[in-house]
Amino acid sequence: MQVLIRIKWFIILVLLQALVLNHVHFGQFATPLFYIYFILKFNSGTNVRSLLLWSFMLGLCIDIFSNTPGLNASASVLTAFCRPQMLRILATRDLSENFEPGIRVMGFSPFFRYTLFMTFLHATVLNLVDAFSFINFHTLTLQIVSDTLITLLCVLCVDSVRRNK
């Protein structure tokens, strides 16, 4: 049953990102990278190999629809790779428990820090691999910060709405 819910979220987020959010640019820079919500919400006890595989497939599907060979896949895999360590550092719960990270479970402040770091990491890797240069450092920095903030806002809004259910 859990796998079917995960597949449903996977399909919804890939289609949402590829068909809608990739075409939304706030101030010509900020693009919501909401598909990382899928990576952020995996249970804490998820096998690392499984997490990396799901993240790679998510990034690859986004890359296929967006015609960006490997950009999203590389950023998603690195985000998934760093996720268990960030949960270990920021979670107030004992990690022997299997929990789904969220505002309701972790509390607002730890979940905010966790989401902020993970979205910043993802946006940094994605924009660095895309630019592959530091020539326009100010533009690159503005893209990273704006992508991080708009994605953080989207994730916090959706998680707070899901929390009430």
Side-chain angles (χ1 to χ4, degrees):
M1 188 64 174
Q2 184 70 7
V3 173
L4 293 176
I5 293 170
R6 196 172 286 166
I7 290 171
K8 181 184 85 168
W9 269 100
F10 184 94
I11 292 170
I12 290 170
L13 290 175
V14 166
L15 292 176
L16 178 69
Q17 186 68 41
L19 300 176
V20 178
L21 296 178
N22 279 349
H23 304 289
V24 174
H25 307 287
F26 297 103
Q28 298 178 343
F29 290 108
T31 303
L33 306 171
F34 186 66
Y35 65 94
I36 69 164
Y37 186 69
F38 183 78
I39 300 168
L40 296 176
K41 294 299 283 184
F42 266 88
N43 287 342
S44 63
T46 303
N47 183 354
V48 175
R49 289 180 183 166
S50 175
L51 181 63
L52 290 174
L53 182 63
W54 276 101
S55 299
F56 175 73
M57 293 306 297
L58 176 70
L60 186 63
C61 288
I62 299 292
D63 284 333
I64 289 169
F65 282 115
S66 305
N67 197 22
T68 54
L71 297 180
N72 295 289
S74 62
S76 295
V77 168
L78 183 65
T79 302
F81 182 75
C82 294
R83 181 186 172 275
Q85 289 79 14
M86 286 311 300
L87 269 179
R88 197 169 296 118
I89 292 169
L90 296 173
T92 55
R93 299 178 136 231
D94 182 21
L95 285 185
S96 61
E97 296 179 43
N98 190 12
F99 67 93
E100 180 181 304
I103 294 173
R104 182 177 50 87
V105 174
M106 295 174 69
F108 182 78
S109 183
F111 184 71
F112 177 81
R113 288 191 308 265
Y114 163 70
T115 306
L116 176 64
F117 179 79
M118 297 307 288
T119 55
F120 179 74
L121 174 69
H122 189 82
T124 301
V125 171
L126 184 66
N127 285 300
L128 281 175
V129 171
D130 186 30
F132 208 67
S133 168
F134 289 111
I135 292 175
N136 295 327
F137 184 73
H138 296 293
T139 304
L140 180 65
T141 304
L142 184 60
Q143 284 177 329
I144 291 169
V145 169
S146 62
D147 286 354
T148 300
L149 293 177
I150 195 70
T151 304
L152 178 67
L153 181 67
C154 290
V155 168
L156 291 176
C157 287
V158 169
D159 199 66
S160 66
V161 169
R162 280 189 71 208
R163 169 178 72 152
N164 294 332
K165 291 184 177 183

